[in-house]
Amino acid sequence: MWHFPKVAAIACLIGLSACVSSYSAANPKTSDEQTPVANVPTEGSSQNPTGLLADLPESTPNRELLAQSWDSYRQRFIQSDGRVIDYEASDRSTSEGQAYALLRAVMINDPASFALTLNWSENNLQRQVGGKRTDSLWAWKWGRKEDGNWGVIDSNFASDGDIDAITALTLASRRWHQPEYLKLAKLKLQDLWNLSTISKTQGKRYLLPGPVAAFVPDASTLYLNPSYFAPYAFRIFAQVDPQHDWLSLVDSSYQVLEDSTKLSRVGLPSDWVALNTKTGKYQTLPASSTLKSLYSFDSYRVWWRLSLDATWFNSPQAQRYLVTSTQHLQKLWSKQSIPALIDLQGKPLVDYEATSQYAMLYAAMQLVEPAIAQELLMKKILPQYKQGIWGDQSAYYTQNLAWLGLLPPKAIPQRLLK
């Protein structure tokens, strides 16, 4: 159905902007054959999610909602050929969006949607030079180009999308006994290690958000995105790729998270930080940069990613970080509202809230303060849910973070993690 690409190293020379942002609403478009086809069910999908419901443990909280919302998502946001559409950003597709669909499909046991999404991604997100594929990672942005045709717009990769995709492939290989998925995961792991990790002072290795050329502005500086760090994934990668020291990325991830959080007077993670590898000091990114050092839509994912590590692998580092770095948000919640953007001084930058933040924070609070988690669910998350959709029907990012945040990590069979 899809092919295994040849591997070759390449240095990308084009800067990569953040894959996640606060999007403004836009209406779905229709035009030529490559444009989105809304409300077309994927192969094997059904208006009745009974089959998917049966695959979640009966003890799963919000079990029916999770099955229903996935069914609604794949009908509205996943085109019939497997392309995930971001209606709020000119109907583009991203490696992040494709990977979220893969993760959700394997977590809820939907092999047909998984195969379709993977097929489209492998066939359309290839990184090429001169018509030849350079490696097995995915170009991060695909959409309508200036000449009116549809295709890859930015051939740089975004490591969070590739990490999520590789995680999904590994879990899928175990869940559905598909060795070809594991073969592809291992192929991608080689390129992820070679192209998206870097060894610096004292031999410490760090995960870069994308190509070296985009995120290493000089010999002693790294631009890092804490929300890309996925310690649970690195532990799984170490199981299937013992040739590389993936556990070293677990250590550096927690080091960056803990030390860079000190940039914030209220102890919150930032979307982006700069690390001076000679001094070990963290700084905000230059004011002229399009990448910002503040607590915003990227940072929310830190709560979810560490919740997975705490639950799946009993990580004391994850538990400790979730306890300490959510203190300010817990304080804000005492007033029943948390702003969507907060600067490093702890000042709210907007007067609106974000369901995606509440859902990611819900995952953390389930471990830290279950009473707050229940309040977030009842007062901020469930009220936004209507007929399978959270909030705006075009809000692709919200749908994914809300679903991932609500799915209990323990709903994933333990056999898939080892």
Side-chain angles (χ1 to χ4, degrees):
M1 193 170 187
W2 37 266
H3 59 86
F4 295 115
K6 296 181 180 179
V7 182
I10 180 171
C12 293
L13 301 178
I14 304 174
L16 176 65
S17 299
C19 294
V20 176
S21 63
S22 172
Y23 304 131
S24 59
N27 293 323
K29 303 174 182 178
T30 57
S31 57
D32 60 37
E33 61 180 3
Q34 290 282 12
T35 54
V37 181
N39 298 314
V40 176
T42 58
E43 179 181 325
S45 72
S46 168
Q47 296 289 344
N48 185 348
T50 303
L52 299 175
L53 182 63
D55 290 320
L56 289 173
E58 291 188 6
S59 60
T60 304
N62 308 299
R63 185 167 174 259
E64 292 187 10
L65 179 151
L66 289 165
Q68 179 191 58
S69 57
W70 168 243
D71 198 54
S72 296
Y73 182 84
R74 63 181 182 171
Q75 291 184 52
R76 172 160 181 78
F77 290 91
I78 304 179
Q79 197 165 259
S80 58
D81 60 357
R83 180 167 91 88
V84 178
I85 309 158
D86 184 352
Y87 292 117
E88 292 186 307
S90 302
D91 300 336
R92 73 178 183 180
S93 293
T94 62
S95 59
E96 169 202 88
Q98 299 299 125
Y100 283 154
L102 294 178
L103 268 180
R104 293 175 65 178
V106 71
M107 286 177 170
I108 203 167
N109 201 7
D110 183 350
S113 296
F114 187 97
L116 278 173
T117 305
L118 179 61
N119 183 57
W120 187 90
S121 304
E122 282 292 295
N123 289 335
N124 291 277
L125 298 184
Q126 296 182 8
R127 284 159 35 83
Q128 299 183 350
V129 170
K132 294 183 178 181
R133 192 161 188 177
T134 60
D135 53 71
S136 64
L137 304 180
W138 287 343
W140 85 271
K141 185 165 67 170
W142 187 100
R144 187 188 289 275
K145 297 184 286 188
E146 291 184 357
D147 62 6
N149 294 318
W150 291 74
V152 170
I153 298 174
D154 189 332
S155 63
N156 287 292
F157 65 88
S159 60
D160 63 329
D162 289 296
I163 288 169
D164 289 342
I166 296 168
T167 302
L169 282 165
T170 305
L171 299 182
S173 73
R174 296 169 175 176
R175 176 155 231 169
W176 301 317
H177 308 289
Q178 296 290 335
E180 68 272 19
Y181 288 162
L182 183 58
K183 183 177 180 181
L184 182 58
K186 289 181 176 181
L187 184 64
K188 290 179 179 293
L189 282 174
Q190 306 305 308
D191 290 329
L192 185 69
W193 181 270
N194 291 330
L195 301 179
S196 195
T197 70
I198 189 169
S199 182
K200 281 294 183 178
T201 308
Q202 299 177 338
K204 292 181 180 177
R205 185 167 288 272
Y206 299 92
L207 174 78
L208 293 174
V212 169
F215 295 105
V216 184
D218 58 61
S220 61
T221 304
L222 305 179
Y223 288 169
L224 304 173
N225 187 315
S227 78
Y228 283 33
F229 299 147
Y232 60 91
F234 303 146
R235 298 185 201 276
I236 292 173
F237 297 169
Q239 297 170 9
V240 300
D241 179 28
Q243 295 179 341
H244 297 105
D245 189 7
W246 290 101
L247 296 182
S248 67
L249 291 186
V250 174
D251 295 336
S252 64
S253 293
Y254 280 111
Q255 179 195 15
V256 174
L257 281 164
E258 292 168 3
D259 292 346
S260 68
T261 294
K262 297 173 184 176
L263 288 173
S264 168
R265 290 186 61 183
V266 294
L268 291 172
S270 294
D271 284 0
W272 295 90
V273 297
L275 168 62
N276 184 311
T277 56
K278 290 184 177 179
T279 65
K281 301 294 184 181
Y282 291 86
Q283 301 173 319
T284 60
L285 267 66
S288 59
S289 174
T290 57
L291 311 178
K292 302 300 180 183
S293 298
L294 75 163
Y295 174 74
S296 180
F297 286 80
D298 268 24
S299 305
Y300 303 161
R301 298 180 298 179
V302 169
W303 313 131
W304 166 63
R305 293 198 188 279
L306 295 199
S307 296
L308 292 182
D309 199 35
T311 305
W312 287 353
F313 295 101
N314 299 311
S315 168
Q317 293 169 295
Q319 185 72 30
R320 181 171 63 249
Y321 186 90
L322 293 176
V323 169
T324 58
S325 291
T326 58
Q327 291 299 311
H328 183 64
L329 299 184
Q330 292 184 50
K331 181 180 178 181
L332 291 175
W333 178 246
S334 66
K335 299 179 181 179
Q336 303 293 290
S337 178
I338 303 176
L341 280 69
I342 302 174
D343 70 13
L344 295 182
Q345 307 307 311
K347 177 184 176 182
L349 297 177
V350 295
D351 59 3
Y352 57 82
E353 303 165 82
T355 302
S356 52
Q357 176 183 195
Y358 287 130
M360 296 282 95
L361 187 58
Y362 170 81
M365 289 297 100
Q366 284 281 82
L367 301 175
V368 175
E369 292 288 347
I372 293 180
Q374 188 64 17
E375 290 179 357
L376 292 172
L377 178 67
M378 301 305 296
K379 296 180 180 180
K380 297 296 182 178
I381 302 173
L382 293 184
Q384 291 295 318
Y385 184 77
K386 295 179 181 179
Q387 298 181 327
I389 297 292
W390 279 278
D392 192 313
Q393 290 195 354
S394 298
Y396 133 92
Y397 190 59
T398 299
Q399 310 312 312
N400 284 298
L401 268 62
W403 195 93
L404 291 168
L406 287 188
L407 182 73
K410 290 184 179 180
I412 308 304
Q414 191 66 25
R415 64 180 176 81
L416 302 186
L417 304 176
K418 297 181 180 179

